[in-house]
Each structure stands twice: as structure tokens, then as C-alpha cells.
Amino acid sequence: ENALMYLEKCLEVARESHEQDNEGKICYKIGELYYRSEQFRKSVAYQEKYLEIIQHQMEDTRKVVDEGMEKTETSMKTKTMEAHASLAKCYLRMKEIELAESHLNHYNQLAKELKIQNAQADSSYYLAKLFEEKGNNAKAIEFYKAYFEAAKSERPEKKNRALVDKARVTYAIAKATRNTKHAVTPAA
């Protein structure tokens, strides 16, 4: 509660100072606080504002060409990816599957483009769960496999052994479940 009050005051100052970058960061943090307290609608409002600020900054960045452009663009894409991840998780919790799927697809695409393995694993896992919930087992297995591949492909110094094992087991269970369903034939 104190953190929220503090961040709201910081947000007010950032807005008054026309500091869009800080305004965006603060919106993201407030959205995360609301997510943790399971106030998903409020979280979505702040995460959407964060995404809007990033997109506005990206448009401004494209107008200005300088030597630091590539680094700035990568930073903006990373922030965009984070916003889509947060929005997807909120929509999943609110059972708004189509919106969750849209944001998960953006999250997954940016993770691949930026070559961030742990984000690829995370987005693939959530997409697999989403397709499983929708009853599309073939698509779910495809994403469980991508989850496993991304988890095991992480650089050795960043590799999380528990994540790799979880991904391996989850993928194997999904495949086994699918194969079991196809192998069972009704009695005549």
C-alpha cells in the first residue's frame, strides 16, 4: 500500500515533468503491484498505458536517426515484450482468452526476435497452456516443445536446470497424453 502511494506520487511528478520514460517505468511497476494484489483490471490499465508510452517513444525514435539507434530500438522492443507479457498474464487470469492469446503471440514473437531464451520459454509455456485450455492439443504440444527447446537452449551461464527439467517433463506428459488419446480405440 505504501509502495503504491509512493509510485503514484512519482507518476504524478513524471507526468508534470513530461518525463515519458519514467512515466512508463512507473506505470509498469504500478501494474505489477496491482497484478500481485490480484486487481487485474487496474493492472491492465497501467500496463496498457506503459505499452502506449513505449509505442509513442518508438515512433519518436524512428524520426531521429543517430548511432545509438539500434541499442535504443532493442531496448524499446524489450520493454514492449515486457508489457505484452504482463498484459497476457492479466488476461489469462481474467479468463479473457482471445486477448491473452494476442498478447502472448506478441510476447513470443518479440522474445524470438530478441533471442531471449527464457522469455521464449515463458511465452511458449503460456501459449501451450492456453491452447490446451482451448482444446487444441496439437498446437499445445507444438508450444510445449518450443518451451522445452527454448529452456534447454539458454546459455550455460544462465541455464536454469529446474526449468529445463520442468519443460522436459511437461512436454513428455503432453506428448504421452496425446498419444494415449490416439491409441485408445473404442470396443466393438
Side-chain angles (χ1 to χ4, degrees), residues 73-110:
E73 190 172 336
T74 299
S75 173
M76 293 293 177
K77 285 182 179 179
T78 302
K79 290 176 183 179
T80 302
M81 182 189 72
E82 292 169 347
H84 283 296
S86 294
L87 284 164
K89 290 173 185 178
C90 284
Y91 286 124
L92 283 170
R93 295 290 300 268
M94 295 186 308
K95 301 291 186 205
E96 294 185 26
I97 302 303
E98 298 307 315
L99 288 168
E101 183 178 348
S102 174
H103 287 287
L104 281 170
N105 282 324
H106 285 294
Y107 175 28
N108 187 264
Q109 184 59 41
L110 286 165

